[in-house]
Amino acid sequence: MEPEAAVPVAAPPRGAATAEEAALRLGDEVSRFSRLIHAWKLRAREENGGGDRLLLARLVTYGPRRATDLAAETLLDLSTVSRQVRSLVDRGLVERTPDPEDRRGTLLSASEAGVLAFQHFRDQRNQRLARLLEAWTAEDRYELVRLFGRLNDDFAEHHHEIFGGTLGATAPTAAAAAGQGEHQ
């Protein structure tokens, strides 16, 4: 017995979709994209330095941070951030300095070696994405980046309504995230 063929969902005419139609298709694509990104992240963790990317990206892009702020901005548990920061400090990728506003606190910043490691991670990611997008037209690449940035901005703005909770005060906009290297 042959497997049953999937029944395709009729696509709306090019250039037209109601919000409900778009939400249905986008929901399916976001779920699929999330699974693919999850698989990519699992592989990245196995690679040398896989766990360093997100924290280094925040520190390089946005400057010194307290661990609590770093945890809030990356949507990670403080204990996870503390463990990763300890490893980054031990390897010379992150430096601790007293917080000038509250001498009891500590600010974390990327060291010169940390900046170089971040640049290396970002270059690797960008090379992989460039290979993926080579067959796309220049217009399609431009529209992808524009619309994906807009979607991310809307997610960040409405995160509390959609998912509950907050993203922290410094969730990056598409323009700010363009050079950041997050979500690798």
Side-chain angles (χ1 to χ4, degrees):
M1 182 171 186
E2 292 185 30
E4 195 173 313
V7 178
V9 175
R14 179 146 174 85
T18 66
E20 292 79 16
E21 291 167 338
L24 173 68
R25 297 181 63 83
L26 180 62
D28 291 344
E29 291 301 328
V30 166
S31 294
R32 182 173 169 229
F33 184 73
S34 295
R35 289 189 305 274
L36 291 166
I37 290 298
H38 180 71
W40 187 358
K41 287 171 106 174
L42 287 175
R43 181 162 180 210
R45 280 188 202 137
E46 295 170 4
E47 294 175 1
N48 186 22
D52 303 342
R53 289 175 171 90
L54 182 59
L55 298 181
L56 283 175
R58 293 301 295 188
L59 294 173
V60 169
T61 304
Y62 297 103
R65 295 275 187 274
R66 296 183 96 166
T68 53
D69 295 332
L70 203 51
E73 293 167 8
T74 57
L75 305 176
L76 294 172
D77 185 76
L78 181 57
S79 64
T80 300
V81 169
S82 295
R83 259 191 322 276
Q84 287 182 301
V85 164
R86 195 173 318 115
S87 172
L88 291 166
V89 169
D90 290 347
R91 291 180 289 138
L93 300 174
V94 167
E95 298 169 339
R96 296 179 194 265
T97 57
D99 186 340
E101 294 179 16
D102 178 2
R103 301 296 287 177
R104 296 171 295 169
T106 301
L107 288 180
L108 305 167
S109 58
S111 67
E112 188 175 323
V115 171
L116 291 173
F118 163 74
Q119 290 170 340
H120 175 74
F121 295 145
R122 185 182 55 192
D123 290 346
Q124 280 183 322
R125 181 211 57 199
N126 291 348
Q127 289 169 3
R128 289 173 178 161
L129 289 172
R131 282 193 307 270
L132 181 73
L133 296 172
E134 280 176 353
W136 291 43
T137 66
E139 293 82 11
D140 284 350
R141 289 189 294 261
Y142 174 83
E143 281 301 298
L144 171 67
V145 173
R146 185 183 73 77
L147 291 171
F148 201 74
R150 182 176 172 187
L151 179 65
N152 278 335
D153 287 347
D154 286 346
F155 267 135
E157 182 179 340
H158 300 285
H159 186 269
H160 65 284
E161 297 167 19
I162 298 169
F163 304 108
T166 62
L167 278 175
T170 57
T173 63
Q180 180 183 25
E182 283 191 355
H183 309 295
Q184 295 180 20

